[in-house]
Amino acid sequence: MYQAIRQWFDPRELREVGETPDYRFSLANERTFLAWLRTGLALIAGGLAVAQFLPPMPIPHLREGLAVALLLLGGTVAVRAVDHWARTERAIRLGQELPASRFPAVLALLVGLGAVLLVIAVLVQAARNA
């Protein structure tokens, strides 16, 4: 675990592994990393927006729970992004198959579940106000 985290902060160690790849592959890996970071930042911004601007929901503390969930998910995406970048860069340098990840599927399911829960909360609120 320590070795993996150390790779995040010490690019020299990563460059000592394998051979220097075609720079286009490294740049594509970096663009993917930046896309994941943007996703993490969007989730964090969404969490802050929910906490500050969403009116109270029909279920007690739903707004706060949603905000915390989005903030935690955004932080997780950011950390996962740097880990995936380092593992992918290492695989590219070693000429190995790129590391597989279930994280995109898990993230999609969590976002979809969150959307379903929000639809239910909106419908409950609409029924109460009718």
Side-chain angles (χ1 to χ4, degrees):
M1 179 68 172
Y2 174 74
Q3 177 76 10
I5 293 174
R6 201 168 85 188
Q7 287 177 7
W8 302 352
F9 298 103
D10 189 5
R12 289 175 298 162
E13 182 175 320
L14 188 60
R15 288 196 171 108
E16 292 173 1
V17 173
E19 298 178 9
T20 302
D22 183 337
Y23 70 91
R24 293 174 292 180
F25 297 117
S26 290
L27 292 175
N29 187 31
E30 188 173 322
R31 284 191 302 273
T32 302
F33 165 72
L34 294 173
W36 278 104
L37 272 185
R38 285 190 300 272
T39 301
L41 287 171
L43 289 164
I44 290 168
L48 291 174
V50 164
Q52 293 298 312
F53 303 116
L54 198 66
M57 303 292 284
I59 301 168
H61 303 293
L62 177 61
R63 179 179 63 182
E64 293 82 3
L66 180 60
V68 168
L70 287 170
L71 291 167
L72 290 173
L73 190 56
T76 301
V77 167
V79 171
R80 183 67 183 96
V82 72
D83 181 60
H84 187 72
W85 169 82
R87 290 184 313 120
T88 300
E89 192 67 24
R90 182 177 179 81
I92 290 170
R93 295 184 69 83
L94 292 172
Q96 297 174 343
E97 188 173 334
L98 296 180
S101 177
R102 291 186 182 106
F103 189 74
V106 170
L107 179 62
L109 289 173
L110 289 173
V111 170
L113 177 63
V116 168
L117 293 174
L118 282 175
V119 166
I120 292 169
V122 167
L123 291 175
V124 167
Q125 182 73 19
R128 286 184 177 178
N129 290 338

